Amino acid sequence: MIKFNVMFRDEVVAYVEINNNNLIKVETYSNVVYKQPFIKKPVTLEYVKAFLQKRVVSPDKTNIDEILKQLEIPKYDIIEILKKTHGTNFDDFIWIKFIGEDVSWDEVKLR
């Protein structure tokens, strides 16, 4: 089972549970559009997967093998990449925090 919060800085804006490739639960906690990761309704597993894919490096990137080696990940796996990178990017303040992690925005932010 995969359980994670979608964060906006240190604010939880959504919670997601996925088990055996089935979307079990999605809860959203913010009505502020720029904080909301799942604007389109209903939220489906495909929608969540597309959101997560946008939070990691593309598997088609020229130097993907080098990136995976630096992350100490043997093969391309979105969840494993997210566990290392938290899905942060320079364009926004949204990131992924897996349940059980003790980490804050200041520790994962890129800028």
Side-chain angles (χ1 to χ4, degrees):
M1 174 142 345
I2 301 165
K3 298 179 184 181
F4 62 88
N5 289 315
V6 180
M7 308 293 292
F8 183 88
R9 293 186 177 151
D10 284 319
E11 176 187 353
V12 178
V13 293
Y15 171 76
V16 177
E17 283 183 25
I18 300 171
N19 191 21
N20 293 326
N21 214 26
N22 292 307
L23 186 61
I24 305 299
K25 183 186 281 189
V26 175
E27 296 175 349
T28 56
Y29 307 120
S30 177
N31 292 325
V32 179
V33 173
Y34 64 86
K35 293 182 179 181
Q36 186 49 249
F38 309 118
I39 296 170
K40 189 173 71 173
K41 305 294 184 216
V43 179
T44 63
L45 179 62
E46 290 73 28
Y47 189 17
V48 172
K49 284 182 173 182
F51 166 77
L52 295 176
Q53 179 66 57
K54 290 177 184 174
R55 307 302 306 179
V56 298
V57 63
S58 169
D60 300 326
K61 189 159 178 73
T62 305
N63 62 340
I64 189 63
D65 291 334
E66 182 179 318
I67 293 168
L68 294 176
K69 185 176 180 179
Q70 288 176 353
L71 292 172
E72 299 177 346
I73 298 171
K75 63 179 179 147
Y76 189 88
D77 181 307
I78 291 172
I79 299 301
E80 292 304 313
I81 295 169
L82 287 169
K83 286 179 180 177
K84 301 277 186 159
T85 67
H86 297 279
T88 57
N89 67 45
F90 288 106
D91 297 337
D92 61 28
F93 302 102
I94 292 176
W95 59 287
I96 306 300
K97 182 176 182 179
F98 290 90
I99 300 305
E101 286 186 305
D102 184 22
V103 64
S104 70
W105 171 245
D106 280 339
E107 295 169 286
V108 302
K109 68 183 177 184
L110 297 174
R111 44 185 153 160

